[in-house]
Amino acid sequence: MNRNDEMVLKFREGLKQTERFEPDGLWEYQKSLLTPLLLHARAHSPFYRTRLDAVFNGDEIDFGRWREIPILTRAEAQTNEKTLAAKAVPPHLGTVSADETSGSTGRPLRYLKNGLMDVAALAMTDRLYRWWDFDGFKTMASFVSPRRGISKPEGDETFGWQTGALEGRHLLRETTGDAEGHARWLAKQRPDYLVSYASMIEPIAATARDRDIGLAFAKVIARGGIVTGETRAVCREIFGCSLVDQYGADEIGQIACECPRCGQYHINSEVVRVELLDENNKPVSSGQTGRVVLTGFYNYAMPLIRYEIGDYATRAQSGHECAVALPSISKIVGRYRNTFTLADGRILFPNMPMKGFRTYLPYTQIQVVQTDYDRLLVRYVADESGKQPDGKGLEAWLKESLDPCFSVQLEEVASIPAASDGKYEDFVSLVARQ
């Protein structure tokens, strides 16, 4: 067993205790991780040399002034990639390596990370397996970004996808290709578990149904996108299993995981501090939606402190009972890029049932793009039915479902390509937030 696996196993035992901490105990635990991180960032990262002054009194840290630390926007992080990097990283934190985010917005963030950050991410995934009773000796199939560099057209095969279970086969296949090709590959491989981008699950399931390709899994893990009720339904109906949603980001790691007991997304508060803030940078109340601001505890190579990732999420209602005491999110709403901004400043979350579009459009793939404050472009790939689209009916439905200000234009296309990371986006806004 390698050193990382040993560390993940130690992490596993600790998490069984920390996930039951009450709020005060959890905050004390987080402060014990934040203190060395802030001291390190101030001493070794030029970007933070004076940025953290509000919380420092000499070498003492006043966490009561935490919210006085300026929020780090994604654009600011991209501009300051070099000065965010630490000049030195303690060797015990592991090897420093370079990576970049998926760049689905066209502007990837290049970042550095140290080995302990990877260990923390593995430990959070290991917790998901524990909560949902995964069997590490069974076979898992994963769709991965083309950036992964799979060497063979039919995919790669490794072993030991779960720490401590070296025999479990792991089959990896790039996201490039069509849904039928993916479905037939899965039918040939017959894995017990599937890990997929959320946007790929429904097309693969629909293709399996329409082409009579038998697919069944014990569980499906979704990542990298918004999970809809329709996606959960096709998992149950076509794959015969439940769906497990995982929320994370390349530059931060695993942020939250869906709980099998209460259905909420428990925040991985042992490795990341999550703030949900309104437009005035104040914490939102339970049940309200806010901007996601993150601080990762284990990346000393390039600390991201109060980093606004560009997502919205909804704080869980207070009072829900669960054996896991970690703070929770009830819904991952999505990226700013996937929300619509109106001329009066209102922000819409267009998480509407995609099946509603089928009343008006004969499509196999669809994408709704906001091109101006009051204009929507609906791109679609036509199905083989020969049915004519009902543009007026679609516009009336979208006016009712979203806002009366919108005019709607249809555009039939041959295909809708995925973003650079392999994800498909149902809703995209080209309008800047005010």
Side-chain angles (χ1 to χ4, degrees):
M1 184 177 296
N2 63 37
R3 180 173 178 268
N4 278 6
D5 286 346
E6 291 176 354
M7 295 175 70
V8 170
L9 292 176
K10 290 180 180 178
F11 227 129
R12 177 190 295 176
E13 295 308 308
L15 293 174
K16 293 177 182 178
Q17 305 301 318
T18 55
E19 65 192 34
R20 298 179 185 276
F21 281 177
E22 295 300 321
D24 289 345
L26 183 61
W27 178 222
E28 290 302 316
Y29 180 85
Q30 289 188 328
K31 287 192 290 186
S32 74
L33 298 172
L34 284 168
T35 296
L37 177 72
L38 296 179
L39 289 167
H40 169 84
R42 193 187 198 202
H44 297 288
S45 173
F47 182 82
Y48 290 111
R49 190 161 293 135
T50 60
R51 191 179 179 92
L52 306 175
D53 284 354
V55 298
F56 274 94
N57 182 11
D59 287 337
E60 298 294 321
I61 298 175
D62 180 2
F63 283 103
R65 302 182 66 181
W66 172 259
R67 288 203 293 271
E68 294 181 38
I69 298 174
I71 291 173
L72 173 66
T73 65
R74 184 180 178 87
E76 192 176 17
Q78 289 167 325
T79 301
N80 294 278
E81 288 168 350
K82 292 183 178 179
T83 58
L84 277 165
K87 299 298 183 182
V89 178
H92 70 274
L93 297 177
T95 304
V96 174
S97 60
D99 207 337
E100 67 178 7
T101 61
S102 60
S104 57
T105 62
R107 292 194 63 194
L109 170 68
R110 292 179 291 272
Y111 64 95
L112 301 178
K113 61 179 180 176
N114 48 264
L116 191 56
M117 177 181 167
D118 288 333
V119 171
L122 286 170
M124 296 305 105
T125 301
D126 183 84
R127 174 155 67 186
L128 177 155
Y129 297 150
R130 171 167 59 86
W131 281 356
W132 288 88
D133 295 322
F134 278 72
D135 184 345
F137 293 95
K138 292 185 176 180
T139 301
M140 175 178 283
S142 296
F143 289 113
V144 298
S145 166
R147 293 188 300 132
R148 179 75 177 258
I150 298 298
S151 58
K152 304 173 185 176
E154 67 273 19
D156 279 352
E157 179 179 347
T158 63
F159 289 86
W161 53 268
Q162 184 176 21
T163 304
L166 301 179
E167 294 85 353
R169 293 174 66 224
H170 194 186
L171 310 168
L172 303 113
R173 179 179 169 92
E174 285 189 359
T175 56
T176 53
D178 59 22
E180 183 171 353
H182 292 323
R184 294 197 181 281
W185 177 78
L186 288 168
K188 180 180 178 181
Q189 301 295 337
R190 301 180 63 83
D192 301 285
Y193 305 118
L194 172 64
V195 180
S196 173
Y197 290 114
S199 59
M200 294 178 63
I201 295 171
E202 205 172 334
I204 291 173
T207 300
R209 178 196 60 212
D210 297 343
R211 300 287 191 269
D212 196 23
I213 302 171
L215 293 180
F217 309 104
K219 291 183 182 71
V220 171
I221 297 177
R223 57 188 176 87
I226 300 301
V227 171
T228 66
E230 291 170 291
T231 304
R232 294 184 187 278
V234 299
C235 275
R236 291 191 299 269
E237 296 166 9
I238 299 174
F239 298 152
C241 69
S242 57
L243 181 148
V244 184
D245 195 12
Q246 187 177 33
Y247 176 44
D250 293 338
E251 67 272 42
I252 291 291
Q254 303 303 338
I255 299 168
C257 174
E258 187 177 7
C259 176
R261 300 172 183 84
C262 69
Q264 306 291 331
Y265 293 78
H266 292 307
I267 296 169
N268 293 323
S269 297
E270 299 93 342
V271 299
V272 61
R273 178 166 175 78
V274 176
E275 301 173 73
L276 301 181
L277 307 179
D278 64 18
E279 296 305 316
N280 297 314
N281 294 336
K282 303 294 184 183
V284 300
S285 302
S286 64
Q288 293 184 329
T289 298
R291 297 148 44 223
V292 179
V293 175
L294 306 167
T295 303
F297 299 151
Y298 287 103
N299 190 3
Y300 282 61
M302 186 172 168
L304 295 173
I305 299 169
R306 303 203 79 206
Y307 168 61
E308 186 171 358
I309 194 172
D311 284 352
Y312 285 105
T314 304
R315 187 180 299 281
Q317 292 282 359
S318 57
H320 77 274
E321 295 184 1
C322 186
V324 175
L326 294 170
S328 302
I329 292 169
S330 63
K331 185 177 183 181
I332 315 300
V333 178
R335 292 196 175 279
Y336 301 162
R337 171 180 167 82
N338 305 127
T339 62
F340 293 163
T341 300
L342 304 188
D344 60 9
R346 284 181 293 141
I347 297 173
L348 304 181
F349 303 102
N351 293 328
M352 58 217 303
M354 298 306 292
K355 63 182 179 182
F357 287 91
R358 295 196 185 279
T359 305
Y360 310 99
L361 280 181
Y363 73 90
T364 59
Q365 193 178 7
I366 192 169
Q367 184 180 67
V368 182
V369 182
Q370 184 187 19
T371 58
D372 206 338
Y373 290 116
D374 57 356
R375 295 179 186 174
L376 298 177
L377 172 65
V378 179
R379 300 181 178 132
Y380 71 101
V381 179
D383 65 18
E384 300 174 356
S385 67
K387 179 182 176 182
Q388 293 300 307
D390 178 3
K392 290 184 178 179
L394 178 64
E395 182 174 74
W397 179 65
L398 287 172
K399 284 176 177 286
E400 180 181 356
S401 302
L402 292 172
D403 194 88
C405 74
F406 286 119
S407 63
V408 178
Q409 177 186 351
L410 292 180
E411 181 184 7
E412 183 179 346
V413 296
S415 65
I416 299 175
S420 60
D421 59 352
K423 302 176 188 175
Y424 292 89
E425 297 177 291
D426 295 328
F427 299 96
V428 177
S429 178
L430 305 181
V431 177
R433 296 172 68 239
Q434 296 177 346

